[in-house]
Amino acid sequence: DNLPAGDYTVSVIPDPGSWYDSSVTLESTWDYDDQGTPSDQNTDNTADFTLAAGEDNFDIDFGVRGNGSISEWVFFDVNNSGGDYQPGVDLGIGGVDLTLEGDVDGDGNPDYTLTTTTADDGSYSFDTLLPGEYTVTVDTTDLPQGMSQVYDPGGAPLDNAHTLTLNDGDDITTVNFGYIGDGSIEEY
C-alpha cells in the first residue's frame, strides 16, 4: 500500500521452512509479464511493471504446479478376494467421480479440491500435484446399485476414502478402491 509511482519488480522466492522452499520442484505455469505456459513462454516467476500515481494493480499473479501424481483403479472385485486390483481378473468401473482434497501448507485444512472421473477401464489420475497431505474420495452414488466396498488401500475402515502424504516428485500408483455387488446368478 501507499507505493509511489515508478517501475517495480515482484518475484516469487522460495521461503525456507514453508511448503514452498528450495527443496520442492515446481514448474512455473504463469507470471504477469510472460504469461502463458512453460511450453511457449519463459515464465521466470518475476514480473516487471510500472505503477502510475494513485494506481492499484491487482493483476500481478503467478502460477506453479508440482510434479507428483496419485492414480490407479476403481474396480469390481470379480473373485471377491477382498484384495488389491488384479489385472486380467478384476474389472474396472468407468464413470465414477473421485474427489481429491489437498493440504499443501500443512495447516490441516484443504487448500484446494480437484475432481476426476474414471475412464471406461476404471483408471483415474490426478497429476501435477504439489507435495502435501491428500485425501481421495470415491463418489459412491456413481457406482452401480448394490455395490459395497471390499478393498481400501489403507485397510479398515472401508470408508470409500484414503488419506496419504505425497512427497516432491512422488507418483503414487496404488490408490485402488475395490467393490462387489449384492446379486448372484445360479445354475439350475
Side-chain angles (χ1 to χ4, degrees):
D1 289 337
N2 302 315
L3 295 173
D7 294 329
Y8 290 89
T9 298
V10 176
S11 299
V12 177
I13 300 169
D15 180 16
S18 76
W19 71 268
Y20 179 38
D21 63 27
S22 59
S23 70
V24 176
T25 305
L26 299 177
E27 181 179 15
S28 299
T29 60
W30 175 271
D31 73 32
Y32 176 77
D33 50 2
D34 292 323
Q35 302 178 10
T37 62
S39 62
D40 63 5
Q41 299 291 327
N42 179 23
T43 52
D44 60 2
N45 285 334
T46 299
D48 298 312
F49 63 98
T50 300
L51 193 61
E55 179 183 7
D56 292 323
N57 187 332
F58 298 107
D59 295 326
I60 311 302
D61 299 324
F62 297 89
V64 296
R65 63 181 171 202
N67 62 351
S69 67
I70 298 170
S71 64
E72 273 311 276
W73 307 95
V74 174
F75 67 95
F76 169 54
D77 186 0
V78 172
N79 60 2
N80 195 14
S81 69
D84 200 357
Y85 178 75
Q86 300 173 40
V89 176
D90 295 323
L91 301 173
I93 304 172
V96 178
D97 291 333
L98 293 105
T99 301
L100 179 76
E101 291 185 326
D103 174 15
V104 298
D105 62 10
D107 68 356
N109 297 308
D111 297 305
Y112 65 94
T113 301
L114 303 172
T115 58
T116 194
T117 303
T118 57
D120 289 344
D121 67 357
S123 64
Y124 74 92
S125 184
F126 293 101
D127 300 315
T128 63
L129 300 175
L130 299 168
E133 186 88 6
Y134 288 91
T135 300
V136 180
T137 305
V138 175
D139 182 350
T140 58
T141 63
D142 293 333
L143 295 170
Q145 189 173 12
M147 297 204 88
S148 57
Q149 189 175 17
V150 294
Y151 179 79
D152 182 287
L158 299 177
D159 59 0
N160 304 294
H162 182 63
T163 300
L164 64 144
T165 299
L166 183 74
N167 295 309
D168 188 40
D170 282 353
D171 292 313
I172 298 177
T173 59
T174 56
V175 184
N176 302 320
F177 298 92
Y179 297 86
I180 59 169
D182 61 0
S184 65
I185 298 175
E186 295 184 25
E187 186 177 337
Y188 291 100

